[in-house]
Amino acid sequence: MRMVVRRPLARSDLPHDTAALARYLIGKIVVRELPEGIASGRIVETEAYVAGDAAGHGFRGMTPRNRSLFLERGHAYVYLAYGISYMLNVSSEMPGIGTGVLIRALEPLDGIPIMRLNRGIERLRDLARGPGRLAMALRIDRSLDGLDLCREGPLWLASDGRDPGEIGQSVRIGISKDADRLLRFYVRGSPFVSGSRSLNP
């Protein structure tokens, strides 16, 4: 049996274009190192928030809250949405450009008992299906904001070389500005993808 090796994503391998990065991250792995063990999931859904995007947090410029979005590509930007759910984003372009990729859903891989405890549910499909759910499952909060995701640590991005399968593309979910742009990417046929069936043909 071949041993699967996971390696941190090299920053030099990350596309400079935000939409290209959102597609590239499909099939990669989010790894969370916790005191009780490692929890991880394969990325099955992302959304790109590109330069000049009215729906992006960097649209009006840098603030203390969003400064991690303006870091070199491959850093974590974590924010609290509606005072309820944390969201994990990956900064996506050159330093000073406030663009990013929202990680929307994961297929759970490692540490499933940890994720179930964090989420307070048993159903595997729902552990990390949606950005708020995945952040809760992996215990991601603002303490991880600004972290370099291209090196091993509390939170990092990995590849095991697996082909993600067929990638679909659609409009983004839950936004009102620039809502018609096809900047959401997902694994076709994955039960772990969020959103309605009409968005996941």
Side-chain angles (χ1 to χ4, degrees), residues 150-168:
C150 294
R151 62 173 68 181
E152 294 186 38
L155 182 68
W156 52 288
L157 294 170
S159 172
D160 61 1
R162 179 175 145 182
D163 188 297
E166 187 179 357
I167 298 175

Side-chain angles (χ1 to χ4, degrees), residues 18-87:
T18 301
L21 179 62
R23 179 182 284 272
Y24 173 82
L25 289 174
I26 297 293
K28 304 305 188 288
I29 300 166
V30 178
V31 181
R32 178 74 167 108
E33 299 188 7
L34 294 162
E36 60 268 49
I38 289 177
S40 74
R42 192 177 303 280
I43 300 170
V44 296
E45 182 184 358
T46 61
E47 285 180 346
Y49 289 85
V50 300
D53 188 341
H57 281 199
F59 183 66
R60 298 187 183 279
M62 189 187 302
T63 67
R65 177 179 180 244
N66 71 11
R67 64 183 181 274
S68 296
L69 195 58
F70 290 79
L71 294 172
E72 186 178 16
R73 69 194 189 284
H75 287 79
Y77 167 50
V78 181
Y79 68 90
L80 186 64
Y82 309 112
I84 300 170
S85 301
Y86 290 102
M87 305 283 170

